[in-house]
Amino acid sequence: MQSVLAAFPRRPLTLKPGRSATGGWVLAILGLLLFGGFLVLVGAQIAPEIRDDLAIRDTARPAPQVRVNGGRCRSRLFMFQDCEVTLTWRGKDGTGTRTMSYMFVEPHMGSWNVMPMMDPARPDLVSTDLGIERLTNRIVTAIGAVIVALALIAGGFVAARKAQRISGEVKALSGRVLEPVPVAFDGWGQQTWKIRDEHGTAFEWPVGKKDKPFVLDEQRGLMLALRPAEGGPAFPLDEKLRFVTLSPEERAAIRQAGGLPPT
């Protein structure tokens, strides 16, 4: 271990985080577009359909003049059902078409039969027995799905903001005279390494999925890190020493001191 520490150059070093903050922001924006689109669907279609079914659930009757013009259900994870039914009808005011979208949680036990329903007093509010019978289920499912979507959107931006903050910490360390130190490897987070210095101070840094730590003492769980001589955050290094800018000769000398083949 001491030979590895001694092999490091004592000069300003440029650090490169294993994973940049840009990827986190890209994922956060993609999550916003994906789950935001789902929220728009809930607000524009699913919520109005639930509102209409609440209005007629006690007065709806079978509507033989309404036809089921098409429909399908998709089952996800066996329990989550996503159904779409298209209804068409002809009345004194002309023809009409309405496509209903249903989300509910129920074991998938085969296909469902659908009967058109209508409130005789409000013939424009057509529905189906499938939707009305599962109205409470649909309400709970929609509320739960909205909560999950909002949590995922918020989580994506929180993670991106955290990666941005860590990237700033790396920039603050970069370009300074740094010294090699052993730190305890506390394991992996979500594409992060968790480390702890000799004072017990914990740090967490973003890394790539394929990155491996530069191990100094496997039995003691120690890995290689860099930090300012006057103290401060310890920045972990990977086995290939890609997280720090070194000359080929410096990299080869450090890896040789650690018993690793040259890259």
Tab-separated table of all heavy atoms in Angstrom, residues 130-173:
chain	number	residue	atom	x	y	z
A	130	LEU	N	-68.173	-2.462	-17.387
A	130	LEU	CA	-66.804	-2.701	-16.947
A	130	LEU	C	-66.262	-1.502	-16.178
A	130	LEU	O	-65.656	-1.646	-15.118
A	130	LEU	CB	-65.914	-2.992	-18.154
A	130	LEU	CG	-64.424	-3.205	-17.867
A	130	LEU	CD1	-64.210	-4.509	-17.114
A	130	LEU	CD2	-63.619	-3.205	-19.176
A	131	GLY	N	-66.503	-0.307	-16.708
A	131	GLY	CA	-65.992	0.890	-16.056
A	131	GLY	C	-66.744	1.248	-14.797
A	131	GLY	O	-66.140	1.630	-13.786
A	132	ILE	N	-68.068	1.134	-14.817
A	132	ILE	CA	-68.867	1.535	-13.660
A	132	ILE	C	-68.665	0.575	-12.491
A	132	ILE	O	-68.557	0.996	-11.332
A	132	ILE	CB	-70.356	1.615	-14.066
A	132	ILE	CG1	-70.564	2.785	-15.046
A	132	ILE	CG2	-71.245	1.796	-12.843
A	132	ILE	CD1	-71.974	2.909	-15.583
A	133	GLU	N	-68.614	-0.728	-12.771
A	133	GLU	CA	-68.432	-1.695	-11.690
A	133	GLU	C	-67.067	-1.558	-11.014
A	133	GLU	O	-66.911	-1.915	-9.841
A	133	GLU	CB	-68.589	-3.118	-12.245
A	133	GLU	CG	-70.015	-3.457	-12.639
A	133	GLU	CD	-70.106	-4.803	-13.334
A	133	GLU	OE1	-69.041	-5.461	-13.492
A	133	GLU	OE2	-71.230	-5.190	-13.726
A	134	ARG	N	-66.078	-1.040	-11.734
A	134	ARG	CA	-64.729	-0.881	-11.176
A	134	ARG	C	-64.396	0.585	-10.921
A	134	ARG	O	-63.232	0.975	-10.932
A	134	ARG	CB	-63.697	-1.497	-12.138
A	134	ARG	CG	-63.799	-3.014	-12.190
A	134	ARG	CD	-63.147	-3.580	-13.432
A	134	ARG	NE	-63.228	-5.043	-13.436
A	134	ARG	CZ	-64.317	-5.722	-13.785
A	134	ARG	NH1	-65.418	-5.069	-14.166
A	134	ARG	NH2	-64.325	-7.046	-13.757
A	135	LEU	N	-65.402	1.375	-10.678
A	135	LEU	CA	-65.205	2.816	-10.535
A	135	LEU	C	-64.304	3.154	-9.356
A	135	LEU	O	-63.353	3.935	-9.484
A	135	LEU	CB	-66.560	3.512	-10.400
A	135	LEU	CG	-66.529	5.044	-10.387
A	135	LEU	CD1	-65.801	5.593	-11.596
A	135	LEU	CD2	-67.961	5.582	-10.331
A	136	THR	N	-64.599	2.574	-8.191
A	136	THR	CA	-63.751	2.843	-7.018
A	136	THR	C	-62.326	2.377	-7.262
A	136	THR	O	-61.356	3.068	-6.919
A	136	THR	CB	-64.324	2.140	-5.779
A	136	THR	OG1	-65.649	2.629	-5.537
A	136	THR	CG2	-63.460	2.427	-4.557
A	137	ASN	N	-62.187	1.204	-7.866
A	137	ASN	CA	-60.866	0.669	-8.200
A	137	ASN	C	-60.129	1.634	-9.127
A	137	ASN	O	-58.931	1.905	-8.947
A	137	ASN	CB	-61.032	-0.696	-8.871
A	137	ASN	CG	-59.720	-1.455	-9.000
A	137	ASN	OD1	-58.666	-0.890	-9.238
A	137	ASN	ND2	-59.791	-2.763	-8.855
A	138	ARG	N	-60.818	2.165	-10.119
A	138	ARG	CA	-60.206	3.097	-11.069
A	138	ARG	C	-59.760	4.385	-10.393
A	138	ARG	O	-58.693	4.932	-10.716
A	138	ARG	CB	-61.186	3.406	-12.197
A	138	ARG	CG	-61.447	2.245	-13.140
A	138	ARG	CD	-62.696	2.501	-13.975
A	138	ARG	NE	-62.608	3.739	-14.716
A	138	ARG	CZ	-63.679	4.412	-15.163
A	138	ARG	NH1	-64.912	3.937	-14.923
A	138	ARG	NH2	-63.536	5.525	-15.822
A	139	ILE	N	-60.570	4.872	-9.457
A	139	ILE	CA	-60.212	6.111	-8.744
A	139	ILE	C	-58.941	5.905	-7.928
A	139	ILE	O	-58.008	6.711	-7.981
A	139	ILE	CB	-61.380	6.558	-7.840
A	139	ILE	CG1	-62.584	6.980	-8.692
A	139	ILE	CG2	-60.935	7.709	-6.936
A	139	ILE	CD1	-63.832	7.262	-7.876
A	140	VAL	N	-58.909	4.800	-7.162
A	140	VAL	CA	-57.738	4.519	-6.329
A	140	VAL	C	-56.501	4.300	-7.200
A	140	VAL	O	-55.411	4.788	-6.900
A	140	VAL	CB	-58.008	3.296	-5.431
A	140	VAL	CG1	-56.746	2.904	-4.671
A	140	VAL	CG2	-59.140	3.596	-4.454
A	141	THR	N	-56.686	3.564	-8.312
A	141	THR	CA	-55.554	3.300	-9.207
A	141	THR	C	-55.026	4.595	-9.814
A	141	THR	O	-53.810	4.804	-9.894
A	141	THR	CB	-55.974	2.333	-10.321
A	141	THR	OG1	-56.421	1.102	-9.740
A	141	THR	CG2	-54.818	2.044	-11.257
A	142	ALA	N	-55.918	5.480	-10.243
A	142	ALA	CA	-55.486	6.742	-10.852
A	142	ALA	C	-54.743	7.608	-9.842
A	142	ALA	O	-53.698	8.190	-10.158
A	142	ALA	CB	-56.693	7.494	-11.403
A	143	ILE	N	-55.275	7.690	-8.614
A	143	ILE	CA	-54.601	8.487	-7.581
A	143	ILE	C	-53.220	7.913	-7.287
A	143	ILE	O	-52.224	8.646	-7.184
A	143	ILE	CB	-55.454	8.544	-6.306
A	143	ILE	CG1	-56.738	9.347	-6.561
A	143	ILE	CG2	-54.663	9.171	-5.151
A	143	ILE	CD1	-57.711	9.331	-5.402
A	144	GLY	N	-53.147	6.586	-7.143
A	144	GLY	CA	-51.857	5.948	-6.880
A	144	GLY	C	-50.869	6.166	-8.011
A	144	GLY	O	-49.684	6.441	-7.776
A	145	ALA	N	-51.348	6.057	-9.261
A	145	ALA	CA	-50.464	6.241	-10.413
A	145	ALA	C	-49.956	7.677	-10.488
A	145	ALA	O	-48.791	7.917	-10.825
A	145	ALA	CB	-51.199	5.868	-11.698
A	146	VAL	N	-50.816	8.639	-10.166
A	146	VAL	CA	-50.393	10.049	-10.171
A	146	VAL	C	-49.326	10.292	-9.104
A	146	VAL	O	-48.323	10.974	-9.351
A	146	VAL	CB	-51.606	10.973	-9.953
A	146	VAL	CG1	-51.147	12.396	-9.645
A	146	VAL	CG2	-52.500	10.967	-11.183
A	147	ILE	N	-49.536	9.730	-7.918
A	147	ILE	CA	-48.551	9.891	-6.841
A	147	ILE	C	-47.213	9.298	-7.247
A	147	ILE	O	-46.154	9.902	-7.049
A	147	ILE	CB	-49.072	9.249	-5.543
A	147	ILE	CG1	-50.275	10.028	-5.012
A	147	ILE	CG2	-47.969	9.186	-4.487
A	147	ILE	CD1	-50.949	9.381	-3.823
A	148	VAL	N	-47.240	8.095	-7.838
A	148	VAL	CA	-45.992	7.452	-8.276
A	148	VAL	C	-45.312	8.282	-9.354
A	148	VAL	O	-44.085	8.475	-9.328
A	148	VAL	CB	-46.283	6.025	-8.780
A	148	VAL	CG1	-45.049	5.439	-9.448
A	148	VAL	CG2	-46.715	5.132	-7.627
A	149	ALA	N	-46.086	8.784	-10.332
A	149	ALA	CA	-45.502	9.581	-11.415
A	149	ALA	C	-44.861	10.854	-10.878
A	149	ALA	O	-43.743	11.217	-11.271
A	149	ALA	CB	-46.577	9.922	-12.448
A	150	LEU	N	-45.543	11.538	-9.953
A	150	LEU	CA	-44.978	12.755	-9.362
A	150	LEU	C	-43.710	12.445	-8.571
A	150	LEU	O	-42.735	13.201	-8.617
A	150	LEU	CB	-46.016	13.427	-8.467
A	150	LEU	CG	-47.218	14.070	-9.172
A	150	LEU	CD1	-48.229	14.558	-8.155
A	150	LEU	CD2	-46.764	15.225	-10.075
A	151	ALA	N	-43.733	11.320	-7.839
A	151	ALA	CA	-42.554	10.936	-7.051
A	151	ALA	C	-41.370	10.626	-7.963
A	151	ALA	O	-40.228	11.003	-7.663
A	151	ALA	CB	-42.887	9.724	-6.173
A	152	LEU	N	-41.624	9.946	-9.084
A	152	LEU	CA	-40.538	9.616	-10.012
A	152	LEU	C	-39.977	10.867	-10.676
A	152	LEU	O	-38.760	10.997	-10.863
A	152	LEU	CB	-41.037	8.635	-11.062
A	152	LEU	CG	-41.335	7.211	-10.560
A	152	LEU	CD1	-41.991	6.384	-11.656
A	152	LEU	CD2	-40.057	6.535	-10.090
A	153	ILE	N	-40.852	11.804	-11.028
A	153	ILE	CA	-40.373	13.064	-11.620
A	153	ILE	C	-39.527	13.828	-10.616
A	153	ILE	O	-38.421	14.291	-10.927
A	153	ILE	CB	-41.570	13.916	-12.089
A	153	ILE	CG1	-42.255	13.254	-13.283
A	153	ILE	CG2	-41.107	15.322	-12.461
A	153	ILE	CD1	-43.539	13.943	-13.708
A	154	ALA	N	-40.046	13.948	-9.384
A	154	ALA	CA	-39.300	14.668	-8.349
A	154	ALA	C	-37.990	13.959	-8.035
A	154	ALA	O	-36.942	14.606	-7.874
A	154	ALA	CB	-40.157	14.795	-7.090
A	155	GLY	N	-38.030	12.621	-7.959
A	155	GLY	CA	-36.818	11.861	-7.659
A	155	GLY	C	-35.759	12.045	-8.717
A	155	GLY	O	-34.561	12.130	-8.407
A	156	GLY	N	-36.168	12.110	-9.985
A	156	GLY	CA	-35.213	12.315	-11.057
A	156	GLY	C	-34.494	13.651	-10.945
A	156	GLY	O	-33.274	13.734	-11.136
A	157	PHE	N	-35.237	14.700	-10.605
A	157	PHE	CA	-34.612	16.021	-10.489
A	157	PHE	C	-33.786	16.141	-9.214
A	157	PHE	O	-32.757	16.824	-9.207
A	157	PHE	CB	-35.681	17.115	-10.549
A	157	PHE	CG	-36.115	17.442	-11.947
A	157	PHE	CD1	-37.215	16.833	-12.508
A	157	PHE	CD2	-35.387	18.336	-12.719
A	157	PHE	CE1	-37.603	17.118	-13.814
A	157	PHE	CE2	-35.768	18.635	-14.022
A	157	PHE	CZ	-36.881	18.016	-14.575
A	158	VAL	N	-34.204	15.475	-8.143
A	158	VAL	CA	-33.391	15.471	-6.924
A	158	VAL	C	-32.055	14.776	-7.189
A	158	VAL	O	-30.992	15.257	-6.773
A	158	VAL	CB	-34.154	14.783	-5.774
A	158	VAL	CG1	-33.224	14.514	-4.601
A	158	VAL	CG2	-35.314	15.647	-5.322
A	159	ALA	N	-32.106	13.632	-7.898
A	159	ALA	CA	-30.871	12.912	-8.224
A	159	ALA	C	-29.975	13.737	-9.131
A	159	ALA	O	-28.746	13.762	-8.965
A	159	ALA	CB	-31.217	11.576	-8.877
A	160	ALA	N	-30.570	14.431	-10.113
A	160	ALA	CA	-29.779	15.261	-11.021
A	160	ALA	C	-29.154	16.430	-10.271
A	160	ALA	O	-27.993	16.792	-10.518
A	160	ALA	CB	-30.661	15.769	-12.157
A	161	ARG	N	-29.918	17.008	-9.351
A	161	ARG	CA	-29.378	18.124	-8.560
A	161	ARG	C	-28.243	17.654	-7.665
A	161	ARG	O	-27.237	18.360	-7.500
A	161	ARG	CB	-30.502	18.735	-7.696
A	161	ARG	CG	-30.072	19.981	-6.932
A	161	ARG	CD	-29.824	21.125	-7.879
A	161	ARG	NE	-29.299	22.284	-7.191
A	161	ARG	CZ	-28.017	22.522	-6.976
A	161	ARG	NH1	-27.112	21.646	-7.401
A	161	ARG	NH2	-27.617	23.611	-6.357
A	162	LYS	N	-28.367	16.457	-7.116
A	162	LYS	CA	-27.296	15.900	-6.293
A	162	LYS	C	-26.045	15.656	-7.124
A	162	LYS	O	-24.922	15.965	-6.697
A	162	LYS	CB	-27.762	14.589	-5.648
A	162	LYS	CG	-26.716	13.921	-4.772
A	162	LYS	CD	-27.253	12.625	-4.181
A	162	LYS	CE	-26.189	11.921	-3.344
A	162	LYS	NZ	-26.698	10.631	-2.782
A	163	ALA	N	-26.231	15.109	-8.341
A	163	ALA	CA	-25.083	14.872	-9.227
A	163	ALA	C	-24.429	16.186	-9.619
A	163	ALA	O	-23.202	16.267	-9.734
A	163	ALA	CB	-25.546	14.113	-10.470
A	164	GLN	N	-25.235	17.239	-9.807
A	164	GLN	CA	-24.678	18.548	-10.134
A	164	GLN	C	-23.841	19.092	-8.984
A	164	GLN	O	-22.766	19.665	-9.192
A	164	GLN	CB	-25.817	19.514	-10.457
A	164	GLN	CG	-25.363	20.877	-10.947
A	164	GLN	CD	-24.782	20.819	-12.346
A	164	GLN	OE1	-25.345	20.145	-13.215
A	164	GLN	NE2	-23.685	21.501	-12.578
A	165	ARG	N	-24.347	18.899	-7.762
A	165	ARG	CA	-23.600	19.371	-6.589
A	165	ARG	C	-22.274	18.626	-6.454
A	165	ARG	O	-21.227	19.241	-6.190
A	165	ARG	CB	-24.446	19.178	-5.328
A	165	ARG	CG	-23.718	19.526	-4.039
A	165	ARG	CD	-24.599	19.280	-2.841
A	165	ARG	NE	-25.068	17.913	-2.758
A	165	ARG	CZ	-24.337	16.896	-2.325
A	165	ARG	NH1	-23.069	17.084	-1.948
A	165	ARG	NH2	-24.852	15.684	-2.253
A	166	ILE	N	-22.312	17.314	-6.643
A	166	ILE	CA	-21.084	16.520	-6.543
A	166	ILE	C	-20.099	16.915	-7.638
A	166	ILE	O	-18.885	16.989	-7.407
A	166	ILE	CB	-21.415	15.017	-6.614
A	166	ILE	CG1	-22.189	14.598	-5.364
A	166	ILE	CG2	-20.162	14.181	-6.751
A	166	ILE	CD1	-22.664	13.169	-5.378
A	167	SER	N	-20.625	17.186	-8.840
A	167	SER	CA	-19.754	17.624	-9.921
A	167	SER	C	-19.051	18.926	-9.553
A	167	SER	O	-17.869	19.127	-9.876
A	167	SER	CB	-20.578	17.805	-11.203
A	167	SER	OG	-19.774	18.254	-12.270
A	168	GLY	N	-19.759	19.803	-8.853
A	168	GLY	CA	-19.141	21.043	-8.392
A	168	GLY	C	-18.046	20.790	-7.369
A	168	GLY	O	-17.018	21.484	-7.363
A	169	GLU	N	-18.252	19.791	-6.512
A	169	GLU	CA	-17.234	19.449	-5.518
A	169	GLU	C	-15.979	18.898	-6.203
A	169	GLU	O	-14.854	19.181	-5.778
A	169	GLU	CB	-17.799	18.431	-4.530
A	169	GLU	CG	-18.910	18.984	-3.646
A	169	GLU	CD	-19.482	17.932	-2.719
A	169	GLU	OE1	-19.020	16.773	-2.793
A	169	GLU	OE2	-20.379	18.256	-1.933
A	170	VAL	N	-16.174	18.102	-7.261
A	170	VAL	CA	-15.028	17.568	-8.004
A	170	VAL	C	-14.260	18.705	-8.665
A	170	VAL	O	-13.022	18.745	-8.634
A	170	VAL	CB	-15.497	16.542	-9.057
A	170	VAL	CG1	-14.318	16.088	-9.909
A	170	VAL	CG2	-16.140	15.339	-8.385
A	171	LYS	N	-14.981	19.669	-9.232
A	171	LYS	CA	-14.316	20.809	-9.866
A	171	LYS	C	-13.539	21.626	-8.842
A	171	LYS	O	-12.468	22.162	-9.149
A	171	LYS	CB	-15.354	21.678	-10.571
A	171	LYS	CG	-15.947	21.051	-11.819
A	171	LYS	CD	-16.946	21.991	-12.484
A	171	LYS	CE	-17.521	21.356	-13.743
A	171	LYS	NZ	-18.513	22.250	-14.405
A	172	ALA	N	-14.084	21.723	-7.627
A	172	ALA	CA	-13.386	22.485	-6.583
A	172	ALA	C	-12.080	21.795	-6.175
A	172	ALA	O	-11.109	22.462	-5.790
A	172	ALA	CB	-14.298	22.657	-5.373
A	173	LEU	N	-12.047	20.467	-6.232
A	173	LEU	CA	-10.828	19.732	-5.898
A	173	LEU	C	-9.834	19.707	-7.056
A	173	LEU	O	-8.621	19.678	-6.847
A	173	LEU	CB	-11.177	18.288	-5.518
A	173	LEU	CG	-11.907	18.054	-4.198
A	173	LEU	CD1	-12.317	16.601	-4.088
A	173	LEU	CD2	-11.022	18.444	-3.020
